Amino acid sequence: MKTLSASDLAAIPIDQRIRLVEDLWDSIAEFPEAVEIPAWHKTELERRLREYDANPNEGSPWSEVKQRIIG
């Protein structure tokens, strides 16, 4: 397999680089079990779930959050 440098990648047109990133991501997503989830991510998810269970009416629906962000 040929090794590419940052300058090699920079020489590729942007649309092709985007496609390359998409292809790389798709190849990773084919095997989600191979992607290790850090313990601190799991801990944070558990904390957030507990917080949600304790206060399910807190927060905002995604549509409202998106509207605030995008305007």
Side-chain angles (χ1 to χ4, degrees):
M1 182 173 162
K2 181 183 176 198
T3 301
L4 296 174
S5 69
S7 60
D8 292 333
L9 292 173
I12 299 171
I14 191 77
D15 62 324
Q16 291 179 24
R17 283 187 272 161
I18 291 170
R19 184 69 208 157
L20 177 60
V21 169
E22 290 171 344
D23 290 345
L24 283 169
W25 184 254
D26 289 345
S27 72
I28 292 167
E30 285 181 37
F31 304 98
E33 67 281 354
V35 179
E36 191 170 327
I37 301 171
W40 72 270
H41 282 198
K42 293 177 186 178
T43 300
E44 179 63 16
L45 287 171
E46 290 166 1
R47 183 193 68 75
R48 291 180 185 200
L49 281 172
R50 283 192 309 274
E51 190 173 305
Y52 172 77
D53 289 340
N55 302 296
N57 294 320
E58 289 290 319
S60 303
W62 169 239
S63 59
E64 290 177 17
V65 173
K66 184 177 177 184
Q67 182 63 35
R68 285 195 308 261
I69 294 170
I70 296 173

